[in-house]
Amino acid sequence: MSSTALRIVVCVKQVPDTWSEKRLDPTDQTLDRAAADGVIDELDTYAVEEALRIKEANEGSAVVVLTMGPAGAADTVRKALSMGADEAVHVVDDALHGSDALATSLVLAKAIERTGFDLVVLGSESTDARMGVVPAMLAERLGVPQATLASKVEIDGSSDPATVRVHRQTDAGQAVVSAQLPAVISVLEKINEPRYPSFKGIMAAKTKPTATWSLTDLGIDASSVGLAAAATAVVDATHRPPRGEHTIIKDDGDAGSRIADFLVSRKLL
């Protein structure tokens, strides 16, 4: 397929470390992000890698990494820049605290419109919320086609406008869909193996351009985002109860019969 120069925006999110214990802030029932180290969402690294591969296959392309989050989220964009992204945009504003997916998609869409794009790439979902709705919301707000859950992505620059061809993984199998650019896609973790930042990449990331935008810069009224404007809310939450009495059966050759006896004693068989 012919190549074409593209402006690729890849959205990333800072989330609590996957292996850390997550908890809610009792004051407002939002995720307590200070309770664990913040890291780039693992699923977003596949999106960064795919954006970089598309860039490498299409001479003259550029990858812009975009994140929305507190000041500490700057570490997330630096990770993406050290992988090979060309520039970054960080939307940071105190009024964003507690924003739901609707508000998040609004802010990201405004930032994407401002920076310009041919293709937007996201992970399939975030590891802290597990909703997977932002890619579709973004496509709707931007007024462009969407192709989600991609296991393979191809760009055809021979047509005008260029097109994206996506092998889309579904519960019923695999579907192949195409759309004219500009478009929004989300990718699965099986699509690639994210590269590790090299020492050269880490050093280069320090000098790559990073824009910091506020809600005012994007023309967004603070009353339309944040916890107060969220369409959903956590009303109450309780800590997971401690484990009760339990039995561990070690396999010494008779584990099967012992498990059956245990289930019978509990009237489960």
Side-chain angles (χ1 to χ4, degrees):
M1 294 185 179
S2 300
S3 64
T4 185
L6 301 171
R7 187 163 178 82
I8 307 164
V9 178
V10 55
C11 298
V12 300
K13 184 180 183 182
Q14 186 183 65
V15 298
D17 193 310
T18 306
W19 302 106
S20 64
E21 182 178 354
K22 301 174 183 62
R23 65 188 185 193
L24 298 181
D25 185 334
T27 61
D28 58 12
Q29 302 299 338
T30 61
L31 183 64
D32 185 355
R33 299 189 179 277
D37 292 335
V39 297
I40 185 172
D41 194 314
E42 181 184 359
L43 298 181
D44 289 343
T45 62
Y46 298 93
V48 175
E49 176 63 29
E50 195 61 25
L52 294 174
R53 294 189 184 196
I54 294 172
K55 168 193 169 181
E56 291 163 357
N58 292 272
E59 187 177 355
S61 296
V63 173
V64 183
V65 58
L66 167 64
T67 195
M68 175 187 116
D75 293 338
T76 297
V77 296
R78 277 194 289 270
K79 171 67 180 293
L81 290 172
S82 67
M83 289 175 67
D86 300 288
E87 56 186 280
V89 173
H90 182 188
V91 181
V92 54
D93 199 299
D94 290 342
L96 290 170
H97 173 73
S99 293
D100 61 3
L102 285 168
T104 297
S105 65
L106 170 65
V107 174
L108 292 179
K110 291 294 186 181
I112 291 168
E113 288 173 342
R114 180 173 178 177
T115 193
F117 73 103
D118 296 297
L119 182 66
V120 181
V121 188
L122 303 95
S124 57
E125 60 184 354
S126 63
T127 56
D128 57 349
R130 295 286 185 185
M131 292 185 69
V133 297
V134 170
M137 289 180 173
L138 262 184
E140 179 67 19
R141 290 191 184 279
L142 294 170
V144 300
Q146 61 159 315
T148 55
L149 307 179
S151 59
K152 183 179 180 181
V153 178
E154 300 167 308
I155 301 294
D156 185 357
S158 61
S159 59
D160 187 19
T163 61
V164 57
R165 178 183 169 96
V166 165
H167 295 248
R168 186 173 184 272
Q169 193 66 44
T170 69
D171 292 338
Q174 191 176 84
V176 180
V177 298
S178 297
Q180 291 184 338
L181 297 182
V184 172
I185 65 172
S186 68
V187 302
L188 299 172
E189 60 267 32
K190 66 174 65 177
I191 194 169
N192 57 47
E193 185 64 35
R195 68 193 69 184
Y196 287 101
S198 64
F199 177 74
K200 181 180 179 180
I202 293 171
M203 297 304 294
K206 297 179 179 180
T207 60
K208 291 180 178 179
T210 301
T212 302
W213 294 342
S214 66
L215 290 176
T216 300
D217 293 326
L218 298 177
I220 298 175
D221 190 328
S223 65
S224 63
V225 299
L227 188 61
T232 59
V234 177
V235 177
D236 193 17
T238 58
H239 290 289
R240 181 175 56 192
R243 286 188 177 184
E245 181 183 352
H246 60 278
T247 300
I248 298 176
I249 297 177
K250 295 182 179 180
D251 189 4
D252 295 322
D254 60 348
S257 60
R258 292 170 61 196
I259 290 174
D261 291 341
F262 175 82
L263 295 175
V264 168
S265 70
R266 297 296 193 277
K267 297 183 179 180
L268 299 174
L269 278 182

